[in-house]
Amino acid sequence: MNAPATIMEQLKALPEHLQPHNRRFYVEALSDGARAPLVEYFRREAEADGAAFEWSKAHGAEGFYPARDGGHPRAFSFKIENAPAPGGAWNDAGRGFVPRSGYVAKALSKRPAGKTLAAELNTLPEQPRYSEALDHLGAITDLGAGNGFRGVGSSDGKYHFAVPIKLGDRYFISGVNHNYDIAQHVESAIQYVGTENEKWAPSLDYDGDPISWRPGEGWVFLTKTELDFAIAEANLRRAKKRTPEASA
């Protein structure tokens, strides 16, 4: 097995953006090839959002709860005074939906009326899956070692996901840094070194040398500060468009 000290030396040599003290890394797509899947993802997302919003309004709802990762809306938001009565096409959406004050979340029922509306809803454009925007970056999403795999993003008691970001005509990915997870595995392995339970230490013999991973051509690293600044600039531009007199 690779010694923890060997892995730690490899981690120390990483560029700052991929150093294991960073839980996430940020990249901007600059080339046409890097941008293309992100452009298509957000085009399809806007198309699906527009269709779902129009469908919501046509059925008395004020909006919708999007699918977790691709597909059609999971539930819809109604003003309390306009909410459909139970027993027909709609049920209360239940736990996991937090409506704003004065609204209630409803989901389609399994009764005939609900199935009819579901069939109608299913004719609308679907939200694309995150993977359609993210996979071409080729980021490490799981770590093969020993006899199994460990998912990247779950080693600190939470679960972190990579996400695509669009700011005007700029496209970014907020990725999950697998080197953070590797460093956590090293720290766990160190606790076993020199003990009678050393054979139970987590394997550090990773498949494919994940520490050597870098974004391919067409991508550039950003710091979180740089991305936050780009987001602030985009928010300012939107605010000025909403209140043109403020920019006069």
Side-chain angles (χ1 to χ4, degrees), residues 34-200:
R35 286 165 53 89
L38 289 156
V39 171
E40 177 63 8
Y41 172 88
F42 283 104
R43 184 197 68 77
R44 289 181 55 199
E45 182 185 64
E47 179 184 47
D49 283 351
F53 182 72
E54 292 301 320
W55 191 92
S56 302
K57 298 292 284 186
H59 292 85
E62 300 295 318
F64 63 93
Y65 293 81
R68 286 189 177 89
D69 185 18
H72 293 103
R74 301 175 293 142
F76 297 83
S77 178
F78 291 85
K79 287 184 178 179
I80 289 177
E81 60 269 24
N82 297 331
W90 299 90
N91 289 330
D92 290 339
R95 298 177 62 183
F97 297 92
V98 183
R100 55 189 169 130
S101 178
Y103 290 77
V104 63
K106 295 281 185 177
L108 292 171
S109 73
K110 300 297 185 182
R111 292 180 286 272
K115 290 181 178 180
T116 297
L117 289 185
E120 186 180 305
L121 179 65
N122 287 338
T123 65
L124 301 181
E126 291 189 26
Q127 286 273 356
R129 295 180 63 85
Y130 273 176
S131 60
E132 297 175 49
L134 303 174
D135 282 357
H136 68 302
L137 175 61
I140 306 296
T141 56
D142 53 54
L143 294 163
N147 295 322
F149 288 87
R150 304 186 186 103
V152 168
S154 60
S155 62
D156 55 350
K158 304 176 184 176
Y159 206 92
H160 301 262
F161 297 91
V163 294
I165 300 169
K166 179 180 185 296
L167 299 174
D169 61 354
R170 299 176 69 185
Y171 296 86
F172 308 84
I173 289 177
S174 171
V176 183
N177 185 10
H178 60 283
N179 295 301
Y180 179 103
D181 298 77
I182 291 174
Q184 295 293 303
H185 301 162
V186 172
E187 289 184 11
S188 178
I190 288 172
Q191 297 177 24
Y192 291 89
V193 173
T195 73
E196 61 182 12
N197 295 318
E198 188 166 355
K199 64 180 180 179
W200 302 113

